[in-house]
Amino acid sequence: MSQSDTPHEALLLGAYLRERPEARAVVAADGRSRLVSAEAARRLSEEALDLLERRAGGMVRDGRAEGCELPLPGGGWTARLRAVQDAGEVIGAVAILTPTGDAGAPHAAVPDPRLPGLTGASRSWRSALARAVDLGRSPGTLLIAGEPGTGKTAVARAVRPDAVELDAAQATAAAAHAWVEQLSALRAPVPVLVRHLEVLDAGAAALLVSLLDRFPRMPLTATSTPGEPVGGPCVDRLLGRLAARSVTLPPLRERPEDVPGLLAALSPRPAPGYPPLTWTVEARRVLERHTWPGNVAELGLIVRELADRRRAVAPVRPDELPDAVRGAAGGRRLGSLERAERDAILEALRTHGGNKARAAQALGIARATVYRKLRSYGIQGI
């Protein structure tokens, strides 16, 4: 235990661990930080977690030792709060979650049970996953696009888990060509995943187009990064062929409300004798305001690095985060109405291929308003 740990934090951690968080929906909080089990992160919205944290903070401030039952926002779950005490002083609370009658589905929008671990409750993420699942269930192609690190491969593998894979960024031109030739020799199509389609060898791309001509309903899944140079007209033609059945994953900067859930999902299970990784409210706010050029992959690297080198019981503080994250987190936290407005604008832009004039017309607002709103949300380069 480091010098930053306190007896109170150790006691709260112990109370949390006694409730078997590896198997149950459990939250422990003291009004300044919180511990959230993976099941609780999957089931509860950020609004519900914030409510539990505030209620635990109130119990600490008021010295209120009696427990209470608390219905949670969104319906389906009730929290039973129990005070954690140190020599008669209330230092926090542990909440055990129990389902009510309408708790059949998790709040975090994993729209299909075949998508484990793809955490996110924001509207833009729910919409993208729902479309990916819908397209993946039916025969035919599926193109998953998005910035680097948004989770394209994870979604592709979850939607169509039995696909054989080719990473076009790693395969030589000869290897990619031979791989597609083997597919062409089959009498019936098999599920296929081609990663980094934009850099596929031109000859292999031409063979895939021919294969799709033979088997129009071939279960071909591909991932691509828009804006990257395309490897010639054959690849461009193939991308055009796949565009009708495509989904674009939103970048993490457009869904900061998903950061708390991702922190819980990305944190590795601690080694025996070591505490789980937890976060102060201030550290989470810094992470939510970061622009995340590397998206979820970048967040995952930060979480793993902290988990590897940190052995403190105390929650992670802002000054422990990388300089690049703290320096870029000067924006403000959006309210629920602003997030809804931002999501509507971004969804309109995606629908209209980034054309701000058409998006503004669809939304019934001026184009200048779209520019102004995007700037106010800290979104650049769209």
Side-chain angles (χ1 to χ4, degrees), residues 118 125 144 147-156 249 295-297:
L118 297 179
W125 184 249
I144 302 176
E147 295 180 7
T150 48
K152 301 183 293 293
T153 298
V155 172
L249 302 184
N295 291 292
V296 177

Side-chain angles (χ1 to χ4, degrees), residues 1 14 27 34 39 112 152 155 186 210 214 233 251 275 318 369 372:
M1 188 177 294
V27 178
R34 66 191 181 210
E39 181 69 3
D112 188 278
K152 301 183 293 293
V155 172
L186 299 176
S210 299
R214 284 174 53 202
T369 302
R372 178 173 56 81

Side-chain angles (χ1 to χ4, degrees), residues 90-108:
V90 177
I91 63 166
V94 172
I96 309 300
L97 309 182
T98 56
T100 57
D102 54 346
H107 175 91

Side-chain angles (χ1 to χ4, degrees), residues 71-87:
L72 297 176
W77 291 88
T78 297
R80 187 176 76 254
L81 277 80
R82 176 176 55 79
V84 179
Q85 300 182 62
D86 180 17

Side-chain angles (χ1 to χ4, degrees), residues 345-361:
I345 291 174
L346 292 171
E347 182 65 29
L349 286 167
R350 277 191 287 270
T351 299
H352 295 282
N355 188 303
K356 295 182 178 66
R358 292 179 181 174
Q361 184 177 15

Side-chain angles (χ1 to χ4, degrees), residues 4 12 36 47 90 99 111 121 134 145 178 204 208 210 243 247 268 278 297-298 306-307 311 321 350 356 376 379:
S4 63
L12 186 64
V36 183
E47 181 185 5
V90 177
D134 185 55
L208 272 180
S210 299
V247 57
T278 59
E298 180 186 356
L306 282 166
R311 294 295 178 260
L321 299 174
R350 277 191 287 270
K356 295 182 178 66
S376 73
I379 298 173

